[in-house]
């Protein structure tokens, strides 16, 4: 696998073999780090981190991974650069491409991360857009392999909730690339768009993945090894959608009954985080006042159960983002 000089914009820019190769690279880099003999492959590199939306995991994963590999980062927060307000993405890209060896971008529009790659001339990494969340998918895959101990083509992966947005769409495509039995379990109005389904089906022809899109929870989760979900309201969506969203998705909450419906006592629970499992945050309290629900997409019981691997999953953001930067900037 030689991905040097490539950008990391969405899953479908890669072949299944390349996708798996990034997971293997992350596995070996994680081992190096844990064993305390990390070789620095990014010495002297500079990486720009543009965040038009807030982040905890993605930002910190890029910063720590870059530091451990010997690279320098600059963090541009949602308000303190000119990008998007006074200066176009294309002009920003032309400037930053002269300073940096690689650029991470998180924002609304997939078109912006694509333009950044086109005009900067350096590898660009998608740290989440409304359409795709590809760095998350590598972390999820690594976590699934570590916790199920199964080859990807024997894993049944069910995702409950909003299937139309970044995490749901990416999970469908990435799981298909890895040959999983993937189920998107959502009300019809929240199921992935035709484009995402077509991309997944195309990969499935090559990998043998099985794809189910259903609004029936019992059918969707039966036999699952992994139950995943995401927030019901994503960053950038207006507050006004909360009540309708909660009403529409309440039956798709991951709770003890759903975990039991898998029929698999070893089924694990995953969530990219942040999660509304308790409503102890400021936003959570507002949600509670508006809806009366004390948890949204996952109950506290499941989130805090032994089945929940969400913090291992979060740690793997760092190891997999490191693999992406090493592959694209140093070659691997
Ligand atoms: N999962 C994830 O992308 O987390 P952050 O929004 O904290 O980066
Ligand atoms: N769908 C969520 C993912 C957060 C990591 C969002 O876009 O806010």
């Amino acid at each position: 696998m030689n991905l040097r000089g490539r950008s990391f914009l969405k899953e479908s820019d890669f072949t299944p073999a390349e996708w798996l190769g990034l997971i293997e690279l992350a596995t070996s880099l994680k081992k190096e780090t844990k064993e305390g003999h990390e070789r620095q492959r990014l010495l002297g590199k500079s990486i720009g981190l543009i965040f038009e939306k807030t982040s905890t995991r993605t930002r910190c994963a890029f910063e720590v991974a870059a530091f451990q590999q010997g690279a320098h980062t600059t963090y541009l927060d949602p308000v303190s650069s000119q990008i998007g307000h006074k200066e176009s993405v294309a002009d920003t890209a032309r400037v930053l491409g002269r300073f940096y060896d690689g650029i991470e971008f998180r924002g609304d529009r997939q078109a912006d991360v694509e333009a950044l790659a086109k005009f900067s001339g350096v590898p660009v990494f998608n740290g989440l857009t409304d359409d795709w969340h590809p760095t998350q998918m590598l972390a999820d895959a690594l976590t699934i392999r570590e916790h199920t101990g199964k080859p990807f083509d024997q894993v049944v992966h069910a995702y409950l909730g909003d299937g139309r947005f970044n995490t749901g769409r990416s999970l469908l495509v990435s799981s298909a690339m890895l040959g999983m039995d993937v189920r998107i379990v959502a009300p019809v109005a929240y199921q992935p768009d035709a484009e995402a389904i077509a991309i997944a089906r195309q990969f499935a022809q090559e990998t043998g993945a099985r794809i189910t899109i259903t609004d029936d929870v019992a059918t969707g989760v039966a036999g699952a090894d992994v139950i995943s979900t995401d927030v019901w309201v994503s960053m950038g969506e207006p507050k006004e959608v909360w009540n309708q969203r909660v009403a529409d998705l309440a039956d798709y909450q991951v709770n003890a009954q759903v975990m039991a419906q898998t029929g698999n006592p070893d089924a694990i629970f995953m969530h990219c985080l942040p999660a509304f499992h308790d409503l102890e945050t400021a936003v959570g309290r507002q949600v509670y006042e508006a809806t009366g629900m004390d948890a949204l997409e996952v109950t506290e019981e499941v989130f805090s159960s032994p089945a929940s691997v969400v913090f291992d999953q979060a740690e793997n953001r760092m190891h997999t983002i490191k693999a992406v930067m090493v592959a694209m900037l140093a070659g691997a």
Side-chain angles (χ1 to χ4, degrees), residues 55-58 106 133 136 272-273 317:
S55 167
T56 298
R57 278 146 290 272
T58 309
R106 166 175 286 198
H133 196 3
Q136 181 72 51
C272 60
L273 305 181
R317 299 297 310 287

Side-chain angles (χ1 to χ4, degrees), residues 286-307:
Q286 286 168 18
V287 172
Y288 176 74
E289 276 159 29
T291 66
M293 286 182 72
D294 59 4
L296 295 184
E297 71 274 9
V298 56
T299 58
E300 173 62 21
E301 185 184 8
V302 170
F303 187 89
S304 301
S305 71

Side-chain angles (χ1 to χ4, degrees), residues 2-24:
N2 184 4
L3 300 179
R4 189 174 184 152
R6 296 260 301 267
S7 281
F8 187 83
L9 304 177
K10 57 185 183 295
E11 296 80 358
S12 57
D13 290 342
F14 298 90
T15 64
E18 288 170 338
W19 200 240
L20 195 57
L22 285 165
I23 297 161
E24 302 300 358

